[in-house]
């Protein structure tokens, strides 16, 4: 029954995704990048991830502001983009694995779990029969 609320208001998906992406951007830019020695991820990589997160936030928040009839395709697009973000971030983690610190591992792994869970839900909902 809870999914019915979301189906009636699909703009909520985009709003939640956009807020989450903006939160990731903020954490990356204002916490992880300035404290590189604490997290272990080089600033250059953090800036790339932050830029991607901001782009995803703009996309999702824009979709949440528009009253669209064919929202499923846009939800599927953000699910794909979120999955790509996870793989890009994982590639940075692998590249810098030896330099990551405990808090770097914790942040990046937990972020991947959250983003992949959200992308999976978005993918599932974008494939539902009824709009």
């Amino acid at each position: 029954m809870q999914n019915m609320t979301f189906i009636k208001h699909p703009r909520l998906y985009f709003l939640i995704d956009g807020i989450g992406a903006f939160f990731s951007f903020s954490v990356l830019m204002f916490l992880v990048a300035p404290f590189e020695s604490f997290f272990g991820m080089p600033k250059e990589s953090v800036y790339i991830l932050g830029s991607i997160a901001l782009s995803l936030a703009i996309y999702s928040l824009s979709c949440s502001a528009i009253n669209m009839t064919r929202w499923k395709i846009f939800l599927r697009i953000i699910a794909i983009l979120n999955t790509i973000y996870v793989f890009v971030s994982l590639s940075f983690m692998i590249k810098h694995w030896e330099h990551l610190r405990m808090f770097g591992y914790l942040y990046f792994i937990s972020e991947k779990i959250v983003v992949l869970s959200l992308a999976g839900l978005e993918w599932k909902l974008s494939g539902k029969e009824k709009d």
Side-chain angles (χ1 to χ4, degrees):
M1 281 296 180
Q2 289 176 342
N3 282 344
M4 296 304 284
T5 301
F6 278 121
I7 291 172
K8 289 180 185 175
H9 305 288
R11 291 162 66 174
L12 287 174
Y13 297 126
F14 297 108
L15 183 61
I16 291 167
D17 189 276
I19 290 170
F22 189 77
F23 179 77
S24 288
F25 162 76
S26 298
V27 170
L28 287 165
M29 300 307 267
F30 304 115
L31 187 63
V32 177
F35 298 102
E36 179 180 344
S37 63
F38 190 72
F39 290 93
M41 182 68 75
K43 285 183 184 179
E44 296 78 19
S45 298
V46 175
Y47 291 151
I48 292 169
L49 294 174
S51 298
I52 295 169
L54 181 60
S55 299
L56 296 177
I58 291 168
Y59 174 85
S60 292
L61 293 172
S62 297
C63 288
S64 76
I66 300 169
N67 191 11
M68 57 183 87
T69 56
R70 298 185 46 90
W71 58 271
K72 288 184 179 185
I73 186 68
F74 295 96
L75 192 62
R76 181 137 311 185
I77 289 168
I78 198 62
I80 292 167
L81 292 174
N82 280 335
T83 304
I84 291 169
Y85 171 81
V86 167
F87 284 112
V88 170
S89 183
L90 280 172
S91 70
F92 284 132
M93 285 181 68
I94 291 167
K95 181 179 179 180
H96 304 293
W97 190 260
E98 293 178 6
H99 303 290
L100 288 179
R101 311 278 300 203
M102 181 184 65
F103 286 103
Y105 294 123
L106 289 173
Y107 172 75
F108 288 105
I109 290 171
S110 62
E111 184 194 48
K112 301 312 140 258
I113 292 169
V114 170
V115 174
L116 276 179
S117 298
L118 183 60
L121 177 64
E122 291 165 342
W123 186 265
K124 180 180 174 184
L125 293 170
S126 68
K128 294 243 185 232
E129 294 296 319
K130 189 173 182 173
D131 280 339

